[in-house]
Amino acid sequence: MRLWIAIHLPQLPLEVFCPRWSTDQGTVVLEQERVIALSAAAYEAGVRRGLRRGGAIMLAPQTQFQQRSLPLEAEALQATALALLQFTPQLAEAEEATLLLDVGASLRLFGGIRALCHRVAQSVRALGFTGTLSCAPTARGAWMLARSNAGRSLTMASLERRLEGLPPGLLPPARAYLDWLEGIGCLTIGQLRSLPRPGLQRRCGRALLDMLDDAHGARPELHQWLAAPASFHAKLELFDRVENAEALLFGAHRLVLQLTGWLSAHQLAVERIQLLLEHERGRIAGPPTVVEIMLAEPTWKDTHLVRLLKERLAKLELPAPVIGLCLEAPQVQPMAPPSESLFPEPGGSKEDWQRLLELLAARLGADNVLQAAPNADYRPEHANSWVSIQTKIRPAEARAQLPPDIGSLPRPTWLLPKPIALMMRDHRPYYGSPLRIRSTGERIESGWWGAMQTRDYFMAQGEDNAHYWLFKERDSGATEPETRWYLHGLFG
């Protein structure tokens, strides 16, 4: 099934200069000294489209005036297109700030056209733009419905009915002939199609007929698909100096959405991202503040990355106001396919567990969330060390640090930080009650490069049926070694 989604961004000139998350006191965009876009605050002050600059200043003197910048508009449209690549790799840019998405192959993945349209619209809103969305079996038909805000069509019959009532001025090739069309009583596209084709071609040119044929599926459509760059580097200029780090999350979310689209286009997952907070430029410029996020498990989802950035920015104290953001992905790897397990893992998957650890590290600090790392040492108190959760420990390297033939020997679930010396009663070690030895001994002789230790470990049982891990230590340097018992661990 071939189906297209069209997104028209009618307020793009305004939202390039006045994003919806900014505190707008009134913004007007001018082109050739006339108003082409304005914010709600400027409209309430009496400013209207087409008004000259002088009249707008008289009505709203406190309003901020901006000159239209086509390069900035093109950058905003490219950023939106890059973010929407997460839904389909076949995305093209059409006339008049409109994006076309071929989503026929993505319907099953995203749960149908209704759910997909909702996610596309949600992504556009998260980027800070207002768009008109439509879908149709043809790209030109979807473009025409989006440009006129005429709804959605899933079949050709429904599309033809909707197109019949649209005005012919919607088509760019017909705009030069609107007076002639109105003079002959041709006020809709349906009436335009009923005109004789040879005469219409001689009068208006072949481009108008081609556009009508494209919209009605009578001609194959050719598009130039958007190609994602080889490496990711996205920047965002802020519209004011920001002194609160938490206020940067809106702009960071926009950059993360672009990263998500780039990763999906290249079938990659990110392991490390860097958010650069740029401060003043010029002679008083300082180095940017770097917010680095290390991921235990590579991801290509924006929700987890935004959550981690939120935790990091909430704790960050800015050394100077921020005027720009830059997001980089210096460490990526091929996207891993989803698990082929028939039944889900109980208590969540391995990825869910890693996301929880990353969230705790972002909230509490990487040095406060630790993981165990084995060491090549037989002594229990030296056989393990605690390192940051962001330190990657490969399973093969961890197994190489384990002593051989140690897996079948009993080990307690709770190892005391320091062995406790035990008293002797009736020639038995005593800990609340006399302890009975319940296992054969395990001798550990280690530490020859430092303090040599000779221990014999046993499992013991008290009168309360609790099990303990004891060892007796012998002083090999004495002529008659003296036996000393210690408690080193408790079994569950």
Side-chain angles (χ1 to χ4, degrees):
M1 177 182 179
R2 198 72 183 269
L3 200 61
W4 294 80
I5 289 180
I7 287 284
H8 173 55
L9 305 174
Q11 295 294 327
L12 188 62
L14 173 65
E15 291 170 338
V16 166
F17 297 100
C18 175
R20 290 187 293 111
W21 60 73
S22 67
T23 56
D24 179 29
Q25 299 298 327
T27 302
V28 171
V29 181
L30 301 173
E31 185 178 24
Q32 296 180 355
E33 297 301 311
R34 287 188 179 272
V35 178
I36 63 168
L38 65 156
S39 64
Y43 185 86
E44 292 176 358
V47 182
R48 297 294 183 268
R49 293 175 185 258
L51 191 65
R52 289 190 175 274
R53 179 189 181 99
I57 292 177
M58 291 181 61
L59 292 172
Q62 303 299 326
T63 299
Q64 182 182 7
F65 291 86
Q66 299 280 357
Q67 291 293 331
R68 184 176 186 180
S69 174
L70 295 179
L72 288 180
E73 293 180 28
E75 290 179 8
L77 194 63
Q78 286 293 322
T80 306
L82 187 60
L84 296 182
L85 282 175
Q86 61 183 301
F87 303 110
T88 175
Q90 295 180 328
L91 187 149
E93 182 178 344
E95 304 91 342
E96 301 176 356
T98 305
L99 299 174
L100 301 175
L101 292 79
D102 184 359
V103 297
S106 305
L107 297 179
R108 185 177 178 184
L109 177 62
F110 293 98
I113 186 60
R114 185 184 297 271
L116 181 55
C117 288
H118 176 73
R119 292 193 58 175
V120 171
Q122 191 176 21
S123 297
V124 173
R125 287 194 299 268
L127 288 168
F129 301 126
T130 302
T132 304
L133 185 143
S134 182
C135 62
T138 64
R140 182 58 63 181
W143 179 87
M144 294 173 65
L145 294 181
R147 287 286 291 109
S148 57
N149 196 15
R152 307 172 189 175
S153 297
L154 301 182
T155 62
M156 283 303 304
S158 173
L159 175 61
E160 291 177 0
R161 288 194 301 269
R162 290 183 180 273
L163 294 180
E164 283 183 358
L166 299 180
L170 191 65
L171 302 174
R175 293 170 187 170
Y177 309 97
L178 290 181
D179 293 339
W180 173 74
L181 292 173
E182 184 178 355
I184 64 175
C186 182
L187 304 179
T188 64
I189 289 181
Q191 296 171 347
L192 182 64
R193 287 194 73 204
S194 64
L195 295 176
R197 289 178 63 91
L200 187 61
Q201 179 176 348
R202 285 194 303 269
R203 183 67 185 239
C204 302
R206 184 66 192 178
L208 179 58
L209 293 178
D210 289 344
M211 192 167 288
L212 286 173
D213 292 341
D214 291 343
H216 292 81
R219 199 175 77 107
E221 299 178 278
L222 299 178
H223 301 280
Q224 184 176 2
W225 306 119
L226 176 69
S231 60
F232 182 80
H233 180 89
K235 297 187 67 176
L236 177 63
E237 297 289 337
L238 300 181
F239 303 90
D240 198 0
R241 290 176 173 83
V242 178
E243 299 181 358
N244 184 7
E246 291 187 78
L248 301 173
L249 184 63
F250 298 101
H253 189 189
R254 174 176 172 177
L255 298 179
V256 170
L257 284 175
Q258 298 178 49
L259 173 62
T260 303
W262 180 83
L263 292 172
S264 300
H266 289 285
Q267 292 294 293
L268 296 174
V270 66
E271 293 182 310
R272 179 167 63 96
I273 62 173
Q274 288 182 342
L275 180 65
L276 307 180
L277 313 182
E278 298 179 351
H279 305 293
E280 294 289 346
R281 299 186 178 93
R283 284 181 290 181
I284 59 173
T289 302
V290 181
V291 179
E292 188 174 63
I293 300 293
M294 293 289 297
L295 300 168
E297 288 292 330
T299 184
W300 59 92
K301 304 295 184 181
D302 63 298
T303 53
H304 184 53
L305 294 174
V306 171
R307 191 181 299 116
L308 295 178
L309 285 173
K310 179 181 179 181
E311 296 295 338
R312 291 291 301 274
L313 292 175
K315 301 190 306 179
L316 183 64
E317 294 185 5
L318 297 177
V322 179
I323 61 173
L325 301 176
C326 179
L327 184 64
E328 298 176 349
Q331 192 170 344
V332 295
Q333 69 176 32
M335 185 185 298
S339 174
E340 297 180 355
S341 175
L342 178 61
F343 300 101
E345 295 290 336
S349 62
K350 178 183 177 183
E351 290 77 13
D352 296 333
W353 172 247
Q354 294 295 342
R355 292 190 188 102
L356 174 61
L357 295 179
E358 291 165 357
L359 182 61
L360 291 175
R363 180 172 300 179
L364 305 176
D367 296 334
N368 296 323
V369 182
L370 307 178
Q371 62 177 332
N375 296 327
D377 199 316
Y378 281 98
R379 294 172 295 179
E381 64 270 26
H382 297 288
N384 178 72
S385 60
W386 295 96
V387 298
S388 172
I389 195 65
Q390 293 185 348
T391 303
K392 289 193 174 183
I393 303 176
R394 301 185 182 277
E397 297 175 355
R399 288 192 297 269
Q401 296 293 327
L402 294 176
D405 300 330
I406 199 173
S408 60
L409 299 175
R411 288 293 183 268
T413 55
W414 182 10
L415 189 70
L416 300 180
K418 185 178 180 180
I420 300 177
L422 300 179
M423 298 184 297
M424 300 293 294
R425 290 187 181 181
D426 298 330
H427 305 288
R428 290 184 183 177
Y430 186 88
Y431 186 72
S433 64
L435 304 180
R436 293 180 176 272
I437 304 301
R438 293 300 188 186
S439 69
T440 58
E442 174 194 353
R443 173 157 295 184
I444 295 180
E445 257 183 84
S446 186
W448 57 268
W449 54 89
M452 184 64 179
Q453 293 180 349
T454 304
R455 298 174 179 175
D456 292 333
Y457 279 87
F458 300 88
M459 181 188 296
Q461 181 180 359
E463 293 182 355
D464 57 354
N465 294 323
H467 287 73
Y468 305 91
W469 203 39
L470 314 180
F471 70 83
K472 59 180 180 179
E473 187 179 52
R474 298 181 180 276
D475 185 4
S476 58
T479 56
E480 294 184 3
E482 178 185 359
T483 302
R484 296 187 296 270
W485 286 91
Y486 294 86
L487 173 65
H488 205 179
L490 291 84
F491 289 90

